Amino acid sequence: MCGICGAVDFSGAVNAAEVVRLMTPTMQHRGPDDEGYLGNERLSIGMRRLSIIDIDGGHQPVFNDAGTVSVVLNGEIYNFQELRQQLADRGHTFHTRSDSEVALHAYEEWGSDCVERFQGMFALAVWDTRGVWETGEKGIKAGKLFLARDRLGIKPLYYFARPFQVRSFRFEVKPELEPRTLKPGIQSCELETQKSELETFLFGSEVRTLLASGLVPKVLSRGAVESYLLYGSVSEPLTLIEGILSLPPGHRMIIDVEPGGGGSMKIERYWNIGRAGRAEVSSFQFRVSSSEQARLNNGYSNGGDSGQAAKQVRVLLEHSVRQHLIADVPVGVFLSSGIDSTALAALASREVSGVHTFTVAFPESEFSEAAIARRTARTFGTTHREVMLSGADMLARLSEAVGALDLPTIDGINTYFVSASAREAGLKVALSGLGGDEVFGGYNSFRRTPRYQRLARVGNRVPAGLRSAMAAAMSDVGGRFIPGDAARKVAALWKNPASLPDPYYFGRLLFTPHQVSGLMNGGTPPGTESGWRDWFTQSALQARQLDSFAAVSCLEAESYLVNTLLRDTDSMSMAHSLEVRVPFLDHKLVEFVTHLPLEVKLAK
């Protein structure tokens, strides 16, 4: 686990090495154990390391033997041992036991497609000068900078390109094509600059890291503020700062750095939840028993029952937990009263005797999950610790916790305190049940969204003027029969179903679009010219390729999960130099469950 950053100067106006020396120290909490640098005045990369795998030998950046390819990696490649063997069979020689060196050789062997072979959470940067480099006064003069982020956005990666103006996501959809017949992959995002435009490019694991460069104007993004007011967090691909963008989940980027200055930039999507078909689901290969492998390879091409599905999901989850426990340091589990974390504690305790578990407890018994978690810990024989959090304790350290956030949010405070406790106990790694609700339908949104979709279809047939009049009455009278918050959202949906890209998004609202317009002093309706709306639209198009259950999984994963839960967990845990891993978001498990038949997923 690391913090990574870098700078590229295309104009000769900036000293990239000096800029990176300003940026890297802002990530010391992400990696207190080590630091490393490469490059010169033209291009420079820095990193801070939290040593977890190959503690003594895993220094970064990692270089190939010729010195023409180098890598910095934030995160973990859980299948690095299998990939290492594949690469060794192809003639690659390894000098460390680290997953970052495996990522280096994987890039050498497969180029930018290497990320499609990775299982894990990662943000990585590769500097590739093979066949295109020259030397001169400033050393390396040309090459290719490759950046990528894991499929579900577990680890963050931000960038700033000056004076590049980002256009909206481009959808290549034929007019006669119905949304549900869209082929996977057509919602690609390809952004390019004119060579003369790109002067400076920055990337980093945190927004504050890019701000430390001194090259980014501190201007608030209107679109980011809109999305925060709508949903309580800033939506992909925006950040609170105008011009600093997030590389979205499942995306990769290539920056061509040309001799004598100038360069181009391209972003493309390499994965989405709807892309993996049933053929892929049935071809997974794991190190499991022959009988387990046979069950996995049966797939569901000819149908299957819920009992068989449960057995296969268990095999996948067991394998995921086993991989997520790989570390050269102690690993614990965040334990609540929920089924997700309980399942992780149960499986982890079978792999590691006396595994550590941690629970946030509250003095108010009606809000505390401590008693149930305590019984769970006794059942599985874990080494358990409760973190008592009173209102006074939280207020005393609230400024400290908020200061740990990289972007504003209405969530995440609990993670700050339980992470502090885990780190104080000597842990560097903890497993979390995040993702279970999104994959297995634990949220009310799985039941609410179909109702909202039916309401939207009816509303689209009613004249706008009549809808507005009815919405006012619905908000007023509806509150007498259903909770006021729900009535407000339903009224907003009925009034203008097209104000958001899918009815699902109304259920997650903090403020309605109309309210946000008022809070933003009027102007254009929220999202009219904002990257977050493009991202939500792309997610909605993906969701329409899936069944009703998987569609909500997709929408949850690309909104609430990545914008709030994963981002908050990353910033709050890394503030204490703690790596949090999420076994439920193993992409092969996600793909398998997503493409199970609807009747199997809904079976009682």
Side-chain angles (χ1 to χ4, degrees), residues 122-163:
F122 58 85
L124 80 163
V126 180
W127 176 232
D128 180 3
T129 60
R130 293 175 297 178
V132 295
W133 74 306
E134 300 175 5
T135 58
E137 286 186 333
K138 295 185 178 180
I140 295 173
K141 303 292 286 186
K144 181 184 296 182
L145 179 63
F146 173 68
L147 304 174
R149 188 176 177 199
D150 67 72
R151 294 167 179 82
L152 287 149
I154 303 168
K155 303 314 295 180
L157 187 59
Y158 302 102
Y159 68 95
F160 172 78
R162 186 177 67 178

Side-chain angles (χ1 to χ4, degrees), residues 165-169 221-224 226-227 237-238 242 245 499 523-535:
Q165 296 296 316
V166 175
R167 297 189 295 273
S168 299
F169 288 99
S221 163
R222 180 182 176 90
E226 286 177 353
S227 66
L238 303 179
E242 185 72 35
L245 298 174
S499 61
T524 58
T528 303
E529 298 178 356
S530 294
W532 66 262
R533 187 180 180 92
D534 296 325
W535 176 252

Side-chain angles (χ1 to χ4, degrees), residues 351-584:
E351 303 290 332
V352 179
S353 178
V355 65
H356 287 262
T357 53
F358 296 83
T359 298
V360 174
F362 301 99
E364 302 85 1
S365 58
E366 66 270 28
F367 300 118
S368 184
E369 303 175 271
I372 297 176
R374 199 179 305 131
R375 289 198 298 270
T376 301
R378 283 198 299 267
T379 299
F380 298 118
T382 71
T383 302
H384 191 58
R385 181 170 179 175
E386 293 180 5
V387 183
M388 183 60 68
L389 185 59
S390 68
D393 293 333
M394 181 174 288
L395 287 174
R397 299 182 65 183
L398 187 59
S399 295
E400 175 187 322
V402 171
L405 291 170
D406 196 42
L407 287 170
T409 179
I410 59 172
D411 206 345
I413 298 298
N414 283 3
T415 304
Y416 181 84
F417 290 98
V418 73
S419 295
S421 178
R423 198 67 174 95
E424 289 167 5
L427 297 186
K428 279 190 172 181
V429 180
L431 306 189
S432 167
L434 282 182
D437 287 318
E438 287 79 7
V439 176
F440 294 102
Y443 292 135
N444 184 50
S445 56
F446 284 83
R447 296 169 288 281
R448 176 182 62 219
T449 299
R451 298 196 298 268
Y452 278 22
Q453 289 171 337
R454 290 192 293 271
L455 183 62
R457 285 194 293 270
V458 173
N460 283 325
R461 299 189 184 100
V462 177
L466 180 58
R467 283 204 315 269
S468 294
M470 294 174 66
M474 191 179 300
S475 181
D476 182 33
V477 179
R480 303 176 190 175
F481 304 99
I482 58 177
D485 183 61
R488 181 173 55 87
K489 294 173 182 179
V490 168
L493 169 63
W494 178 259
K495 181 178 181 180
N496 188 0
S499 61
L500 294 172
D502 190 272
Y504 157 84
Y505 295 113
F506 286 89
R508 281 289 184 190
L509 287 174
L510 184 63
F511 293 102
T512 67
H514 178 72
Q515 289 173 316
V516 171
S517 181
L519 291 169
M520 298 290 292
N521 297 321
T524 58
T528 303
E529 298 178 356
S530 294
W532 66 262
R533 187 180 180 92
D534 296 325
W535 176 252
F536 282 0
T537 299
Q538 184 173 201
S539 299
L541 286 173
Q542 283 187 65
R544 290 168 195 166
Q545 302 170 46
L546 303 168
D547 64 58
S548 58
F549 187 101
V552 179
S553 288
C554 172
L555 293 166
E556 288 283 2
E558 297 203 340
S559 56
Y560 181 55
L561 179 66
V562 69
N563 295 332
T564 304
L565 298 181
L566 290 175
R567 185 188 298 151
D568 292 353
T569 297
D570 174 80
S571 60
M572 291 305 203
S573 61
M574 291 307 294
H576 299 288
S577 304
L578 180 77
E579 174 179 292
V580 174
R581 300 177 175 181
V582 282
F584 282 106

Side-chain angles (χ1 to χ4, degrees), residues 24 50 54 156 235 281 304 338 418 472 512 543 552 586:
T24 306
L50 180 66
D54 193 4
S235 173
V281 170
V418 73
T512 67
V552 179
D586 175 87

